[in-house]
Amino acid sequence: MSAFFAPFLNKPDSVSQIMFKVLLALIPGIALYVWYFGPAILVSITLASITALATEAAMLKLRDRPIAPFLKDNSALLTAWLLALSIPPLAPWWMVVVGTAFAISVSKHLYGGLGNNPFNPAMIGYAVLIISFPVHMTHWITPHGLGQVELSFIDQLGYIFGGALPPNVTLDAVTMATPLDTLKTHLHLDEHVNQILDMPIYGRLAGQGSEMVAWGFLLGGLYLLASRIISWHIPVAYLGTLLLTSGIFHLADPAHYVTPLFHWFSGAAMIGAFFILTDPVTSPTTQKGKLIFAAMAGLITYLIRAFGGFPDGIAFATLLMNICVPLIDAWTQPPVFGNKETKP
Amino acid sequence: MRTLHKFHGGVHPPTHKAESTRTPIAQAAIPSKLVISLHQHVGGRAKPIVQVGERVLKGQKIGLSQGRQSSGVHASTSGTVTAIDMQLVAHPSGLPDLCITIVPDGKDEWIEHSGADLKNTPHSELRHKLRKAGVVGLGGAVFPSDLKADAHRHKITTLVLNGAECEPYITCDDMLMRERAADILSGAELLRELLQAEEVLIGIEDNKPEAIAAMKRAIQDGRHERMEAIPVPTMYPSGGAKQLIRILTGIEVAHGVRSTEMGVQCFNVATAYSVWRALAHGEPLISRVVTVTGNVERAQNYEVLIGTPVNELVALAGNKPDTDRYIMGGPMMGVNLPAATVGVIKATNCIIAMSDALFPPAPPALPCIRCTRCADVCPAELQPQELYWFAKAKEFGKAQQYHLFDCIECGACSYVCPSHIPLVQYYTFAKSEIRARAEEKRNADRARERHEFREYRVEREKQEKAEKLAAKEKAAKEQAIKTQLASESALTETGAARPLETVQPEAALPKE
Amino acid sequence: MLSALLVMAAIAIVLGAVLGFAAIKFRVQGNPLVDKIDAVLPQTQCGQCGFPGCKPYATAIAAGEATINKCPPGGEEGIQKLADLLGVDPIPFGGDTQPKPKSVAFIDENTCIGCTLCIQACPVDAIAGAAKQMHTIVAAECTGCELCVAPCPVDCISMLPIEEQITNWKWRYPVYPIQAAA
Ligand code: SF4
Ligand code: SF4
Ligand code: SF4
């Protein structure tokens, strides 16, 4: 803002502060993650952060833009954290690096950098990884106390960077499929929902451990709502639709369809509702548009979870809806002051 | 208790009003010279009617209103006209405009003046007096008050008096209401009479309890009927005319609609005061209350002669040495002054001395992250981020489709933008570009029409000439034949040889 | 997997239908091209494009006989408008054709001999006056085409560029280079 044209005042608020608060809001979830699954996630978050900052700097340099103000805006860090949180912590280091670098360089900077990317960069990174390395993307750490063996932090580091496990330990012994994935596999074997949920990997509402992480993200999300970083529209519409659709199926056929709460606290539903779908750059700007956007994303998530080929559907739901954002925005322009009856 | 309505959005910038309300309004000294702009109002620039070297009296008319929408300009004190030329004025362009410079003689000698017989003067005459007295809206819009005090045959139910004063730093209306409430109300009665309005609602932001109390007391003391001073919640920009009308009556006046069509009219409290002075005392608008604040020792309100150079005014309040620029108006919508020497105009409600320490420049702008904080605060319920996008890409058609012209340039969006984008500047740019293009188009269309008409005319003249020639030839031929025939003495001429009148379809052509 | 494919297919069909509908609904009705081109030309009628006026130039462009960079009064912006309208790339001015600031003609009234030659030259009838009487330009109608300058036998017509004043001042495009924050 120039000093020569009004307004001469600015609210002390900045992109970097907003992004910083979002990062802050992720911390309860991450803390619980570490508690239940060990510190490996911190390694991938650090790795992703470094990669993101380096890629951001390199791209800014290539595009001949000033580096400092953009590096300070914290948006690359947020992309990095979200991506790291959506892939298995034990993923080999190069996967994290490739995914993050791709997210920042291609899906952010090739589209024009901050504010101009139509797709959520973290979700693009995720999609690229799950399509390119599907097997690696299924090895999730078994939560604390459930596996036969537990890897020490040193062993985890060894695996992430060297790909080697300690002797006598197989990969299957320390990892497992996600609760959503397991559910799907067992449903395909014609097992009953209650029977499946009795397996030790399930906790009170959903996956053992992962449900607690979801609580953490919910907590962070509520903080974002309270501090007005995000508006209620997207989380409410998203979780609401998820609740509604899964509720209908569950009521109709409880033997084959799990409860809405299971859906809420499984996979990336919570982090998606509060942190991923709410990315301002890639979501609609009108309130009505936000509701439609999130409701559709909720529906697609459920359809993919219940009937699709992938265990979780948030990434694809997000990306699919990202495409529709300009259209949704154009169609949901609210009437302006004085024109309430006649819509524009 | 009256139910108040809300308008969408709004912001709460720090108000900084306490600084300038500690002392009563002071009379500013007569300055060393007055630079009086002839264009202090919306509409046509006034025409100078004095000569260089002429002695003028206080209140003497020096600029004659031109055109239907215009207003008179007067000498603010007695003295000698020393120049009528282009001077820098308080305008965002920083370009000069025609001004009359007067060197005061210190006698402050009034021209003969007297109030009107308020009971028996017809309304049209009163309105004419307002125009002659140069009374314009003092809230900043400077629209000629005579035109606004005309209901245009619409039934006016509510006259809104705007004492909200929502902009930070400004306190001139606050102090005026505290000190001169009775005169304001008398002015309001006159306006009510001119508009044939039923009730008068005075909206005052609730951060001015003294002003509210003073106005309430004056309403009681003056036994004003159907008049109410109403505290409204402090929220920028509740002092926008449309916003205040909405708060007090619930009516939303859309862009391009006259509020009178919806039965409301809105005047600033200071305007009501000037209306009273002009009609009851015959005093033209030659001074106003101005808040001098910001980077000064003693922020205060002054009664200032129009034309007083800003630097002389600020000096009264004790300018601090690190002041490097001045703005006229508040920090949200004010104008950066091109020089400290420009004269105070009728729109000057506040002068803020600025320094980097007091108003740190904003950090560099980042791209829009579509966070919609701007849309959340926009009182016109626009989507500023979309407007910004279109204005930036110069997609003016789109910008208009997204209601660019409904923007009241309040600056709330720029204020909250976390990317520190100078949004309002993009809108003013787009608006002025669109207006210029429309003008260009009008000119081009007119040129095309005139050109086509000319071509048609040339063509017609050619044709006429040709026909005349043909007729002449024909006549000559006939003459020849006639002579021949005559010489043969066999036949007589028929009357059919006269050339036909050319049809003139001129009337069917478009006239400019 | 099959159901996922079905879901995707359904979404694709719906979106496709929407786009198709929008394409039909928002299709622009075609005007004759010449008129459209003429509408974006500045109507200065100066003939600097090598054609006897804007309309003939428009006709030539429409027929593909002239390039879009021939109109100096239109400026770069005019080329851009034509390029947008015709869906071609803008080309810069070349050779002697250069954009000019808009101006108005001014007749030095002391020198004018009232010969009416300029009146005959003016394409928009913007000069008032009769034989043997002093002529004046109606500035509001003058397009600044300069066609009256050459015919004047006493060289009393000059072109004055229109200066920026408060009345025709425009807000500038905000330019703030993003500098590295200090
Ligand atoms: S407040 Fe600024 S960054 Fe946010 S949407 Fe509006 S213009 Fe964009
Ligand atoms: S300046 Fe215009 S767009 Fe911005 S908040 Fe005010 S009215 Fe809305
Ligand atoms: S050069 Fe002159 S005549 Fe030709 S199109 Fe441009 S304005 Fe019209």
Side-chain angles (χ1 to χ4, degrees):
Chain A
M1 173 109 268
S2 138
F4 295 102
F5 292 97
F8 303 91
L9 290 176
N10 273 105
K11 204 171 173 184
D13 200 359
S14 65
V15 175
S16 107
Q17 271 175 29
I18 292 178
M19 298 287 175
F20 180 75
K21 284 187 187 160
V22 181
L23 291 176
L24 213 63
L26 279 169
I27 286 183
I30 296 176
L32 287 160
Y33 209 124
V34 174
W35 179 261
Y36 284 97
F37 297 92
I41 186 68
L42 295 180
V43 178
S44 44
I45 287 181
T46 316
L47 209 54
S49 304
I50 295 170
T51 316
L53 291 179
T55 319
E56 178 98 351
M59 289 308 288
L60 287 167
K61 180 104 194 148
L62 275 180
R63 291 177 53 220
D64 211 11
R65 316 292 315 282
I67 295 177
F70 283 105
L71 269 195
K72 279 197 216 144
D73 70 20
N74 288 335
S75 66
L77 277 185
L78 183 58
T79 301
W81 286 30
L82 289 176
L83 180 60
L85 285 171
S86 42
I87 59 181
L90 276 190
W93 67 271
W94 48 266
M95 254 178 69
V96 180
V97 171
V98 168
T100 318
F102 190 90
I104 300 285
S105 61
V106 176
S107 65
K108 184 173 176 190
H109 280 283
L110 286 196
Y111 284 104
L114 177 70
N116 292 307
N117 46 303
F119 298 106
N120 189 313
M123 290 303 102
I124 290 272
Y126 173 85
V128 165
L129 291 181
I130 202 163
I131 290 167
S132 321
F133 316 104
V135 179
H136 283 106
M137 292 289 280
T138 52
H139 295 310
W140 293 80
I141 303 188
T142 317
H144 207 55
L146 278 185
Q148 304 109 315
V149 219
E150 262 173 45
L151 288 181
S152 70
F153 184 48
I154 304 293
D155 291 341
Q156 291 182 338
L157 283 181
Y159 182 72
I160 293 173
F161 289 100
L165 286 170
N168 312 330
V169 178
T170 61
L171 189 58
D172 283 342
V174 291
T175 64
M176 60 168 209
T178 61
L180 271 173
D181 212 0
T182 315
L183 174 75
K184 187 168 272 175
T185 323
H186 285 265
L187 281 174
H188 274 297
L189 299 175
D190 257 343
E191 287 179 41
H192 198 278
V193 162
N194 289 342
Q195 209 177 332
I196 303 171
L197 291 191
D198 279 341
M199 294 169 61
I201 66 160
Y202 292 104
R204 237 164 275 132
L205 296 169
Q208 186 74 263
S210 56
E211 59 178 18
M212 295 314 291
V213 177
W215 276 109
F217 290 136
L218 174 59
L219 195 72
L222 292 179
Y223 160 73
L224 288 185
L225 273 180
S227 55
R228 294 176 176 258
I229 302 277
I230 59 174
S231 71
W232 58 268
H233 303 82
I234 288 182
V236 167
Y238 180 76
L239 294 176
T241 319
L242 200 56
L243 178 102
L244 210 70
T245 41
S246 59
I248 291 172
F249 278 91
H250 176 70
L251 287 181
D253 185 1
H256 290 102
Y257 296 97
V258 284
T259 62
L261 279 182
F262 183 92
H263 278 286
W264 273 18
F265 287 92
S266 291
M270 280 301 163
I271 194 174
F274 290 101
F275 293 89
I276 293 171
L277 286 165
T278 51
D279 167 29
V281 176
T282 56
S283 62
T285 51
T286 64
Q287 300 187 346
K288 215 195 267 173
K290 284 179 179 156
L291 292 176
I292 296 174
F293 168 83
M296 287 294 293
L299 188 68
I300 299 174
T301 307
Y302 185 74
L303 291 179
I304 295 179
R305 278 184 177 184
F307 309 105
F310 291 101
D312 200 352
I314 302 254
F316 292 103
T318 310
L319 294 177
L320 260 179
M321 290 316 295
N322 283 165
I323 310 178
C324 309
V325 165
L327 212 59
I328 297 179
D329 267 344
W331 281 356
T332 53
Q333 283 302 313
V336 305
F337 184 87
N339 287 304
K340 294 294 153 54
E341 298 91 67
T342 50
K343 287 203 52 172
Chain B
M1 214 31 227
R2 176 174 291 274
T3 48
L4 294 182
H5 302 262
K6 274 180 93 107
F7 65 90
H8 177 263
V11 291
H12 285 291
T15 60
H16 289 284
K17 288 186 189 264
E19 291 93 322
S20 51
T21 50
R22 295 197 191 107
T23 40
I25 302 173
Q27 180 69 46
I30 297 177
S32 64
K33 65 170 185 180
L34 295 167
V35 183
I36 304 175
S37 163
L38 284 162
H39 201 179
Q40 307 189 34
H41 46 263
V42 174
R45 179 207 274 161
K47 197 174 85 182
I49 50 170
V50 287
Q51 310 290 319
V52 174
E54 194 175 325
R55 176 160 196 268
V56 290
L57 294 176
K58 180 175 184 153
Q60 179 179 339
K61 181 173 278 184
I62 54 175
L64 192 66
S65 51
Q66 295 287 299
R68 201 184 77 85
Q69 202 185 83
S70 184
S71 202
V73 176
H74 303 78
S76 323
T77 186
S78 59
T80 319
V81 176
T82 56
I84 302 175
D85 58 358
M86 302 297 273
Q87 299 264 354
L88 284 182
V89 291
H91 189 271
S93 66
L95 290 171
D97 204 355
L98 195 60
C99 294
I100 296 183
T101 309
I102 296 174
V103 172
D105 54 16
K107 298 197 187 104
D108 210 22
E109 191 181 325
W110 263 102
I111 198 166
E112 215 171 282
H113 63 287
S114 63
D117 176 1
L118 297 175
K119 290 259 150 28
N120 301 317
T121 318
H123 287 177
S124 59
E125 179 62 31
L126 287 178
R127 271 193 282 270
H128 191 62
K129 281 189 189 301
L130 283 182
R131 177 180 158 109
K132 281 202 297 193
V135 179
V136 297
L138 295 184
V142 285
F143 192 85
S145 298
D146 53 308
L147 298 174
K148 267 182 84 179
D150 189 345
H152 298 283
R153 284 190 294 282
H154 295 290
K155 172 94 198 77
I156 304 291
T157 37
T158 312
L159 167 63
V160 169
L161 225 49
N162 189 344
E165 199 162 55
C166 57
E167 269 238 31
Y169 286 90
I170 310 181
T171 55
C172 58
D173 290 348
D174 184 1
M175 296 310 290
L176 193 77
M177 287 188 286
R178 289 191 204 184
E179 299 182 14
R180 306 179 193 170
D183 281 1
I184 295 174
L185 297 184
S186 309
E189 285 296 356
L190 283 176
L191 289 169
R192 161 148 69 183
E193 173 64 24
L194 285 176
L195 286 163
Q196 295 289 301
E198 290 171 9
E199 54 172 359
V200 180
L201 303 181
I202 307 164
I204 307 168
E205 271 194 354
D206 56 14
N207 60 0
K208 300 183 240 313
E210 292 94 338
I212 296 170
M215 293 293 273
K216 285 198 162 146
R217 211 174 317 119
I219 290 175
Q220 260 181 12
D221 295 350
R223 296 182 194 289
H224 294 283
E225 301 276 317
R226 302 204 64 186
M227 188 182 276
E228 204 180 327
I230 302 163
V232 302
T234 300
M235 166 79 91
Y236 180 85
S238 64
K242 291 179 178 198
Q243 280 63 41
L244 190 64
I245 289 175
R246 159 89 193 152
I247 294 174
L248 294 178
T249 66
I251 294 171
E252 288 190 8
V253 181
H255 172 68
V257 177
R258 277 212 204 109
S259 68
T260 46
E261 287 169 37
M262 310 190 76
V264 232
Q265 186 60 295
C266 178
F267 281 92
N268 183 272
V269 284
T271 316
Y273 175 76
S274 305
V275 165
W276 174 248
R277 300 306 297 181
L279 294 184
H281 300 273
E283 293 171 10
L285 184 48
I286 51 168
S287 72
R288 66 158 297 154
V289 180
V290 178
T291 310
V292 182
T293 181
N295 200 35
V296 292
E297 304 287 348
R298 306 167 297 276
Q300 195 180 357
N301 281 279
Y302 291 94
E303 176 89 39
V304 181
L305 297 180
I306 302 293
T308 304
V310 164
N311 47 3
E312 293 194 29
L313 176 58
V314 177
L316 294 178
N319 202 357
K320 290 191 191 163
D322 59 333
T323 299
D324 56 359
R325 55 195 193 274
Y326 303 91
I327 57 173
M328 182 185 99
M332 296 297 282
M333 292 181 75
V335 181
N336 191 58
L337 293 178
T341 50
V342 303
V344 162
I345 54 177
K346 294 173 184 174
T348 312
N349 45 12
C350 179
I351 297 288
I352 305 182
M354 308 261 281
S355 68
D356 276 353
L358 208 57
F359 291 89
L366 287 178
C368 166
I369 57 164
R370 295 167 44 93
C371 66
T372 67
R373 279 170 175 55
C374 50
D376 293 343
V377 299
C378 175
E381 292 168 68
L382 304 174
Q383 299 287 316
Q385 77 283 0
E386 305 276 1
L387 291 177
Y388 160 63
W389 184 262
F390 294 133
K392 190 173 170 216
K394 304 193 186 165
E395 288 189 38
F396 299 125
K398 273 284 201 194
Q400 272 177 285
Q401 208 179 318
Y402 278 69
H403 307 281
L404 173 64
F405 281 92
D406 286 48
C407 166
I408 58 169
E409 295 168 28
C410 67
C413 50
S414 305
Y415 174 70
V416 296
C417 177
S419 286
H420 309 294
I421 303 171
L423 294 165
V424 183
Q425 259 190 84
Y426 280 94
Y427 307 150
T428 45
F429 154 73
K431 283 181 180 177
S432 90
E433 198 61 35
I434 291 170
R435 286 200 197 101
R437 286 189 186 189
E439 172 77 19
E440 233 166 65
K441 172 121 182 26
R442 259 198 308 280
N443 287 340
D445 285 347
R446 208 172 45 213
R448 185 186 298 114
E449 255 164 39
R450 289 179 73 93
H451 180 61
E452 276 165 8
F453 175 69
R454 179 190 151 88
E455 282 192 328
Y456 163 80
R457 181 173 58 84
V458 169
E459 191 55 35
R460 194 189 63 202
E461 273 164 11
K462 226 192 264 163
Q463 210 176 336
E464 267 170 18
K465 230 185 236 162
E467 265 161 20
K468 254 187 219 144
L469 202 71
K472 235 190 228 156
E473 267 170 21
K474 201 169 174 189
K477 229 183 245 161
E478 269 161 13
Q479 194 60 41
I481 293 172
K482 233 190 267 171
T483 23
Q484 206 181 350
L485 289 183
S487 68
E488 286 170 10
S489 340
L491 283 160
T492 46
E493 192 214 0
T494 58
R498 279 192 65 220
L500 280 172
E501 278 290 326
T502 35
V503 191
Q504 301 221 351
E506 209 166 317
L509 266 176
K511 291 250 162 65
E512 40 146 332
Chain C
M1 196 59 183
L2 185 64
S3 29
L5 280 180
L6 282 179
V7 170
M8 301 286 165
I11 292 172
I13 289 172
V14 170
L15 288 181
V18 162
L19 285 181
F21 170 75
I24 294 171
K25 190 169 167 204
F26 299 116
R27 186 174 49 200
V28 272
Q29 285 295 321
N31 285 359
L33 188 56
V34 175
D35 283 347
K36 270 203 211 161
I37 299 176
D38 194 34
V40 297
L41 291 176
Q43 305 300 325
T44 309
Q45 313 294 359
C46 59
Q48 292 174 56
C49 48
F51 295 88
C54 302
K55 190 89 174 242
Y57 179 42
T59 318
I61 296 180
E65 289 158 5
T67 51
I68 58 173
N69 62 344
K70 295 264 184 271
C71 170
E76 309 277 357
E77 210 174 289
I79 296 182
Q80 188 61 50
K81 279 191 206 160
L82 285 171
D84 289 346
L85 175 67
L86 302 169
V88 296
D89 285 332
I91 38 179
F93 283 108
D96 320 334
T97 336
Q98 291 301 332
K100 281 198 188 133
K102 193 163 159 36
S103 15
V104 287
F106 174 75
I107 297 182
D108 179 359
E109 304 185 343
N110 298 321
T111 326
C112 172
I113 51 169
C115 68
T116 76
L117 285 177
C118 56
I119 298 191
Q120 289 166 40
C122 178
V124 290
D125 290 341
I127 307 180
K132 306 261 168 54
Q133 276 168 13
M134 183 201 67
H135 298 353
T136 32
I137 308 270
V138 184
E141 304 297 351
C142 172
T143 61
C145 69
E146 305 186 6
L147 289 181
C148 51
V149 176
C152 177
V154 291
D155 282 343
C156 72
I157 306 183
S158 48
M159 300 303 296
L160 306 178
I162 296 180
E163 273 172 36
E164 185 168 56
Q165 291 173 348
I166 268 192
T167 39
N168 65 4
W169 173 79
K170 290 196 287 187
W171 285 84
R172 301 287 190 276
Y173 188 77
V175 240
Y176 294 104
I178 305 177
Q179 326 97 351

